[in-house]
Amino acid sequence: MRQAGILMHLTSLPSPWGIGTMGEQAREFVDFLQAGGQSCWQILPLGQTSYGDSPYQSFSSYGGNPYLIDLDQLAQEGLLEPEEYQNRPWGQDEQRVDYGLLYEQRYPVLRLACHRLLNQQGEALSTFCQQHQDWLEDYALFMALKEKHGRVCWQEWPEEERLRRPQALERARKELAEEISFWKGVQYLFHRQWAQLKAYANGKGISIIGDLPIYVAADSADVWAHPEQFQLDEEGRPTQVAGCPPDAFTADGQLWGNPLFNWERMRGEGYRWWLDRIRFQFRLFDVLRIDHFRGFDAYYAIPYGEKTARNGSWKKGPGLEFFQAVEKELGKRAIIAEDLGFLTPSVRQLLRDTGYPGMKVLQFAFDSRERGSDYLPHCYPTHCVVYTGTHDNDTIQGWMASAPRKTAAYARDYLRLTKGEGYHWGMMRSAWASAAELAVMQMQDLLGLGSQARMNTPSTLGDNWQWRCPAGSFTPKLARRLRREMKVYQRLPEQNREERDQEKASKAL
């Protein structure tokens, strides 16, 4: 089947309250996707963000981002009064997220809502807590302790709490009971609103593609609650951390700093920690993109304390055995492998063995260092997902303006791009026309925006993850144009249904 979708994170949706949420604007975007003949909505990780605001560095693999909770919906339920949030400052620029301001303003409002929640919907909250106790108890205690200690990393907590001494944890549960209840309430509100939004999207024929980072943040409930699953010393500090080696793009490599997995321990336990994590993600999403797929074949380990990634070394990952365990436990699932970057023969073989579709990024096809690469559309297999760019790339217009002259010229020649049509439409058309079974475009490219709308510049801090879609962007005119393109390139949902019906009829004969 030939399908299409749009990549836009929830934080980028329009709203009056400083950041995109799971409210009415999200439903309007779903309606736009349906009207535009799309089948999928791809988002970034939904976890609660920390310093740097990256959705790929979260306090929990399970806990949702409180900023995404829609305040208008809370008011409709009687959990907030309009004046409790409508009169607060939410930022001067409606097209940028001010995370510092959000931290100051959002949590006092959510505390009001959670106080009423305990009084009005205590039974529903209790049921939620019982259903999610495997992760929620540790998460809520972790967040309560972070508040107690001024939100510093848990590795800076007193030893008895850092190393989870039973008596210390029991004492904290009693002393911080009110704060623990607040964080449980926050997660109840988040997961309830997400379930409602997902049901709305699925009801409109839109599948949600989620994004699972391979690594978890060092400062997370995941690492604090399960230190045995990671390469840590007796004090709970990493011995080696994750990153990427130096290459033609980055002379010092990339030092991510995430703790590495104790794959030997995980293997001995049948990968239970990972299976629980992936199972939970499929409760949230219909399709799952697994970030840094090559890390399951081999991962780059950097000694803890290094200032760059230069002195790391490659270590063997779990390989096919891991994905066989996933399929045995969860059955065949819709998974996309993020297989970008330098791929060794063993990584390519792992991709073939799993049967997952890999990714193709058009912007990568025209760099002189990638000439003749698999990223050129005439090289695509059917079983892949094509993007013009991802959240880590510039927009099409920004890329065309900043790319080396020969690179941009090659792209114009190969894709027959013209200013008259717009470089963004020409490149998107080439992606839609390709053999790839799924084509996903960034919303910024659909709107023809420049570099000011870029979501993230890797290995930088500041000004990332802030872009927001201008209000009024989901127009009927744009949806109609998008649907026309889908019809031409045979990516409409109804065309897929006709194809399935024909296949069934031929099999019956």
Side-chain angles (χ1 to χ4, degrees):
M1 295 187 298
R2 292 172 59 77
Q3 295 181 308
I6 301 297
L7 168 59
M8 185 168 74
H9 193 37
L10 281 166
T11 59
S12 297
L13 289 164
S15 90
W17 319 124
I19 194 170
T21 70
M22 298 177 284
E24 186 59 33
Q25 288 80 13
R27 286 163 175 76
E28 289 179 3
F29 182 62
V30 169
D31 294 342
F32 170 80
L33 292 175
Q34 183 191 43
Q38 304 299 288
S39 301
C40 306
W41 176 8
Q42 182 167 337
I43 61 175
L44 305 184
L46 292 175
Q48 183 175 355
T49 54
S50 177
Y51 174 74
D53 312 310
S54 170
Y56 294 88
Q57 297 286 342
S58 171
F59 288 136
S60 170
S61 291
Y62 298 84
N65 191 341
Y67 294 155
L68 303 178
I69 296 171
D70 187 68
L71 304 182
D72 290 327
Q73 283 187 224
L74 299 184
Q76 291 167 10
E77 294 180 56
L79 298 178
L80 286 176
E81 296 296 332
E83 61 271 16
E84 291 174 334
Y85 65 97
Q86 291 182 356
N87 297 328
R88 288 176 175 267
W90 295 111
Q92 299 298 315
D93 188 348
E94 292 186 353
Q95 295 184 32
R96 309 294 294 180
V97 178
D98 186 334
Y99 286 99
L101 189 62
L102 272 181
Y103 175 74
E104 295 174 0
Q105 300 295 331
R106 203 63 154 222
Y107 286 107
V109 173
L110 290 176
R111 289 183 184 279
L112 293 172
C114 286
H115 177 74
R116 294 187 180 110
L117 174 69
L118 291 170
N119 295 325
Q120 298 177 21
Q121 302 179 33
E123 184 175 345
L125 174 59
S126 178
T127 299
F128 172 82
C129 292
Q130 291 173 9
Q131 293 173 339
H132 295 269
Q133 62 181 334
D134 289 347
W135 65 270
L136 187 60
E137 293 296 329
D138 282 322
Y139 161 82
L141 178 58
F142 174 83
M143 293 305 300
L145 284 167
K146 280 192 72 69
E147 290 296 316
K148 173 185 174 182
H149 295 301
R151 299 186 71 81
V152 300
C153 177
W154 67 268
Q155 292 167 350
E156 299 178 35
W157 296 353
E159 179 180 302
E160 59 181 4
E161 293 170 347
R162 183 178 80 245
L163 301 182
R164 295 176 58 85
R165 307 297 191 210
Q167 290 183 338
L169 296 190
E170 187 58 32
R171 182 167 60 248
R173 290 186 185 100
K174 293 177 180 178
E175 294 176 356
L176 304 174
E178 184 175 344
E179 186 71 9
I180 289 170
S181 293
F182 165 68
W183 289 108
K184 289 180 178 180
V186 164
Q187 289 307 313
Y188 169 75
L189 294 174
F190 174 90
H191 284 283
R192 185 179 60 176
Q193 286 195 3
W194 174 254
Q196 293 167 348
L197 176 58
K198 182 177 183 297
Y200 183 85
N202 291 166
K204 296 284 186 174
I206 304 298
S207 297
I208 306 291
I209 303 176
D211 198 338
L212 179 64
I214 183 174
Y215 295 119
V216 298
D219 188 19
S220 68
D222 304 287
V223 182
W224 176 70
H226 302 282
E228 74 283 353
Q229 304 293 337
F230 301 88
Q231 297 181 29
L232 308 180
D233 63 19
E234 293 180 354
E235 295 298 313
R237 294 180 174 84
T239 56
Q240 299 183 103
V241 295
C244 282
D247 57 21
F249 300 91
T250 52
D252 288 331
Q254 296 182 36
L255 181 61
W256 300 337
N258 305 76
L260 295 168
F261 298 114
N262 184 344
W263 282 118
E264 184 176 353
R265 167 96 183 215
M266 289 182 162
R267 181 180 293 111
E269 296 176 351
Y271 304 107
R272 178 55 47 192
W273 183 91
W274 261 102
L275 295 176
D276 290 343
R277 187 184 183 207
I278 293 178
R279 179 186 293 105
F280 187 83
Q281 295 296 310
F282 275 110
R283 294 177 186 170
L284 302 178
F285 311 117
D286 302 296
V287 183
L288 192 61
R289 171 191 179 270
I290 296 183
D291 191 43
H292 197 57
F293 177 80
R294 72 149 302 146
F296 293 96
D297 175 68
Y299 61 92
Y300 194 65
I302 305 163
Y304 181 66
E306 290 286 330
K307 301 302 182 183
T308 74
R310 287 180 175 272
N311 294 323
S313 60
W314 286 102
K315 308 286 186 181
K316 185 174 176 55
L320 182 60
E321 178 187 80
F322 171 81
F323 294 105
Q324 289 174 331
V326 171
E327 183 171 331
K328 181 178 179 181
E329 178 82 7
L330 305 179
K332 287 190 177 295
R333 296 291 185 136
I335 291 175
I336 299 169
E338 187 274 287
D339 60 338
L340 305 177
F342 175 73
L343 303 182
T344 63
S346 60
V347 178
R348 295 179 187 275
Q349 185 60 50
L350 181 60
L351 186 66
R352 287 192 291 268
D353 289 342
T354 61
Y356 301 151
M359 292 175 53
K360 306 296 180 184
V361 178
L362 263 178
Q363 287 186 23
F364 294 167
F366 306 102
D367 192 291
S368 60
R369 292 161 290 192
E370 295 284 355
R371 190 64 58 89
S373 75
D374 292 342
Y375 295 118
L376 288 166
H378 69 264
C379 299
Y380 294 173
T382 300
H383 194 50
C384 73
V385 184
V386 61
Y387 300 77
T388 50
T390 73
H391 61 275
D392 283 335
N393 299 116
D394 204 342
T395 65
I396 293 174
Q397 298 288 51
W399 180 77
M400 288 295 295
S402 62
R405 183 176 57 83
K406 289 184 178 180
T407 297
Y410 183 29
R412 285 194 297 270
D413 290 345
Y414 183 99
L415 301 173
R416 294 294 185 261
L417 304 180
T418 66
K419 286 186 177 180
E421 180 189 27
Y423 293 147
H424 57 302
W425 280 106
M427 189 174 282
M428 289 190 298
R429 278 195 304 98
S430 297
W432 290 322
S434 75
E437 59 190 7
L438 175 59
V440 179
M441 306 298 113
Q442 291 194 92
M443 189 65 196
Q444 298 97 307
D445 290 334
L446 203 61
L447 297 174
L449 301 179
S451 295
Q452 78 280 2
R454 181 171 184 161
M455 197 65 174
N456 179 52
T457 302
S459 300
T460 66
L461 282 175
D463 298 324
N464 291 322
W465 318 109
Q466 296 177 6
W467 176 75
R468 297 181 64 200
C469 189
S473 295
F474 314 142
T475 65
K477 181 179 179 180
L478 182 58
R480 287 193 298 270
R481 180 170 184 180
L482 187 56
R483 174 170 279 274
R484 284 197 300 270
E485 301 288 357
M486 296 305 99
K487 184 177 181 180
V488 169
Y489 297 111
Q490 299 180 19
R491 293 187 181 273
L492 287 174
E494 51 265 38
Q495 291 171 323
N496 289 325
R497 285 193 293 269
E498 291 174 3
E499 181 181 334
R500 285 197 301 268
D501 291 343
Q502 290 173 0
E503 288 179 1
K504 288 181 181 179
S506 63
K507 288 180 180 179
L509 294 175

